[in-house]
Amino acid sequence: MSGQLKVAIAAPITPGTSGGVATFIMGLVRALGRLHDGPEIYTIVVESQQQLDCLKPHSGANQQLVLKTSLPNQDKRMRANGRITFPGLLKCALGPLLPAAKYIQRLICTPAPRYWPEVPISDGFYESLGCDVVHNPTQNFVLYALPTIYNPHDLQHLHYPQFFNHATIAWRETIYPAGCRLAHTVVVGSQWAKDDVVRQYGVSPEKVQVIPEGPATQSYPEPSPEFLVKVKYKYQLEEPFVVYPAVTWPHKNHIRLLEALAYLRDNCGLTVRLVCTGSLYQDFWNQIENCIDQLKLRPQVKFLGFVPGEDLRAIYRLSQCLVEPTLFEACSLPIFEAWLEGVPVACSNATALPEQVKNAALLFEPRDVQSVANAIREIATDSELRRELRSRGYQRLEDFDWERTAKAYRAVYRRAAGFPLTEEDCWLLKWNWMTEPQREMESRS
């Protein structure tokens, strides 16, 4: 083992989208690239020139971006640094077993019909990079001959199967259990998500590491007063307005939010403007448009689609508050982003959100239109409440920082590769991010 840890990170992001996984990868790459207190080298692997161009501005001196190509001989033996290795359940040499890999995955996954997908097997590219560990920060999992870090992000398909087609559920129920059982470490963004992975897939709690993210928009410049004016004119924004950044997936619950706005207008005489950002998921977008027309909300609602990160920071700054009525969230990036800009938050009481916000947001029941409406009315009309929530948001955000997130991932990489851990590494790996304030943990260490 050399003294320099080499980490490969699979980063097949989709440029021009605002999905949480893409913003997470960009944030992580940027944060790791700014760690200068360790000898680690990070190889960021992309699958197209467009992806490379997208990540290049976020990369640092300790990182190299590599375009994935097929090996000349498509070596299926998955050799790594001259040896055959694999973490977790398979401690033996995999070379002779790889021709039977499809049978191995059937042993570790739920029995399935003939069309059920199979766990991908590495073609040897990542192993050829000479790295010590591989990180899959997307939900996809590939069987490598190296210790692997895996981010399933969430198990929404098990809680809301009605939002997924059969093919997607089949894929998730092949890949997710395999990744959670075969990876060296599974990383999720909240204690709620960890408990869910342990409960659903029978994974040991010691194998699942909680590492929340920071505000994804932090990598973009802070908006100047002149830029705020420019963005306001660019998108024709009329203040005051509430903001909701989310791809138009069904679980994001846009329709209940629209119904709450109509309820306030028709029953309380209160017109609240709404600005939504995020890519338009076409399979559900038609239902949202029909709802807007049926409720006659066109004059007070804007869906801007995907907006660049620097514009999003300005839109937050211009908004009166963030309203997030999502039905399912393992950890919300928009909440962190709103707190960064001093924007008060009202959000649903679903899944991991109460754990994430603690007392720094106004909670509501996302399935109850009147509950959503009451929360919007309260935060939109009470300036003292907004001031208090703004203050609490700043304080809560102190426990979530991209530098600390990057250092925690680095500690996971070091542990997976068998490298020595520093005192800070041990501190980060044992810290309960969601429930224990940083200042209390530091006072005990």
Side-chain angles (χ1 to χ4, degrees):
M1 180 187 299
S2 67
Q4 189 175 54
L5 174 62
K6 298 178 181 178
V7 180
I9 300 177
I13 65 168
T14 304
T17 70
S18 57
V21 176
T23 54
F24 159 64
I25 291 175
M26 287 189 287
L28 181 63
V29 168
R30 182 180 187 276
L32 290 171
R34 280 148 184 80
L35 295 182
H36 304 300
D37 58 342
E40 288 76 17
I41 294 295
Y42 301 96
T43 300
I44 315 300
V45 182
V46 297
E47 297 180 352
S48 70
Q49 184 63 43
Q50 186 184 25
Q51 294 174 3
L52 191 150
D53 293 339
C54 181
L55 280 175
K56 190 173 183 179
H58 300 277
S59 62
N62 61 354
Q63 295 171 326
Q64 56 179 342
L65 273 68
V66 174
L67 187 62
K68 187 180 186 303
T69 58
S70 299
L71 293 179
N73 62 352
Q74 284 293 294
D75 187 355
K76 299 294 183 179
R77 292 172 296 172
M78 296 172 30
R79 293 195 176 275
N81 299 324
R83 65 190 187 278
I84 301 291
T85 61
F86 194 74
L89 299 180
L90 303 180
K91 301 280 187 186
C92 58
L94 274 183
L97 297 180
L98 289 180
K102 63 181 180 180
Y103 302 108
I104 296 173
Q105 72 92 10
R106 287 173 186 168
L107 291 176
I108 61 173
C109 299
T110 305
R114 288 183 301 172
Y115 62 82
W116 206 275
E118 294 183 350
V119 177
I121 305 297
S122 172
D123 62 3
F125 178 85
Y126 280 85
E127 292 78 5
S128 74
L129 297 173
C131 293
D132 303 288
V133 63
V134 180
H135 181 189
N136 268 359
T138 69
Q139 294 99 325
N140 192 29
F141 177 79
V142 176
L143 199 59
Y144 298 108
L146 291 168
T148 305
I149 313 304
Y150 177 56
N151 291 83
H153 292 290
D154 66 63
L155 308 183
Q156 185 198 152
H157 64 288
L158 298 179
H159 298 268
Y160 288 97
Q162 65 270 32
F163 296 155
F164 299 85
N165 59 40
H166 294 304
T168 300
I169 293 176
W171 182 85
R172 286 191 171 211
E173 277 303 281
T174 298
I175 301 301
Y176 285 32
C180 290
R181 292 166 186 167
L182 291 177
H184 179 280
T185 304
V186 178
V187 181
V188 293
S190 64
Q191 184 63 41
W192 189 94
K194 174 177 178 174
D195 294 342
D196 200 32
V197 167
V198 171
R199 180 174 59 253
Q200 301 286 358
Y201 294 145
V203 180
S204 169
E206 287 71 30
K207 188 175 186 175
V208 186
Q209 190 72 44
V210 176
I211 307 180
E213 301 150 31
T217 49
Q218 199 168 20
S219 59
Y220 298 98
E222 184 172 352
S224 65
E226 294 78 16
F227 190 70
L228 292 176
V229 173
K230 180 180 178 181
V231 168
K232 183 177 177 179
Y233 176 79
K234 177 180 179 180
Y235 296 105
Q236 295 295 294
L237 303 177
E238 187 175 353
E239 299 177 87
F241 63 86
V242 302
V243 65
Y244 183 30
V247 177
T248 56
W249 288 314
H251 77 277
K252 295 299 184 179
N253 208 24
H254 286 86
I255 286 180
R256 284 289 179 273
L257 178 56
L258 295 171
E259 291 172 345
L261 296 182
Y263 178 90
L264 289 171
R265 180 197 61 200
D266 298 339
N267 296 277
C268 305
L270 179 64
T271 299
V272 177
R273 300 181 188 89
L274 169 67
V275 173
C276 293
T277 68
S279 301
L280 304 180
Y281 175 62
Q282 291 300 321
D283 288 356
F284 194 62
W285 172 238
N286 288 339
Q287 295 184 45
I288 293 175
E289 279 206 301
N290 289 339
C291 181
I292 293 172
D293 289 334
Q294 290 172 6
L295 297 175
K296 297 180 174 57
L297 287 171
R298 291 281 176 190
Q300 64 189 87
V301 172
K302 282 182 177 288
F303 278 79
L304 305 181
F306 172 80
V307 300
E310 56 269 26
D311 289 7
L312 183 56
R313 284 201 72 169
I315 292 169
Y316 276 120
R317 193 72 65 92
L318 290 165
S319 71
Q320 189 176 45
C321 65
L322 165 72
V323 178
E324 185 167 352
T326 181
L327 297 174
F328 189 95
E329 214 69 45
C331 189
S332 169
L333 286 177
I335 288 175
F336 290 146
E337 294 167 350
W339 286 340
L340 178 68
E341 308 303 334
V343 176
V345 172
C347 68
S348 76
N349 59 8
T351 57
L353 292 185
E355 170 190 333
Q356 179 180 353
V357 302
K358 297 182 77 172
N359 69 342
L362 185 64
L363 295 176
F364 55 79
E365 167 51 54
R367 298 169 187 81
D368 185 337
V369 171
Q370 192 166 344
S371 178
V372 180
N374 287 341
I376 295 173
R377 177 183 54 77
E378 191 173 352
I379 201 168
T381 60
D382 190 337
S383 59
E384 180 59 27
L385 174 63
R386 293 197 301 274
R387 186 199 64 78
E388 180 63 26
L389 289 176
R390 186 177 298 113
S391 175
R392 292 179 186 177
Y394 278 133
Q395 184 175 0
R396 181 62 172 147
L397 190 59
E398 291 177 3
D399 291 324
F400 306 98
D401 174 79
W402 266 114
E403 179 181 356
R404 199 153 56 245
T405 293
K407 287 182 175 181
Y409 271 99
R410 183 177 64 183
V412 168
Y413 302 151
R414 288 172 175 173
R415 183 176 63 184
F419 277 64
L421 299 182
T422 66
E423 183 177 346
E424 183 182 35
D425 292 337
C426 297
W427 181 87
L428 288 166
L429 292 175
K430 72 178 181 180
W431 180 29
N432 190 328
W433 294 65
M434 282 296 185
T435 62
E436 189 170 21
Q438 179 197 2
R439 52 193 173 278
E440 291 183 14
M441 184 64 179
E442 289 174 336
S443 67
R444 290 167 44 195
S445 61

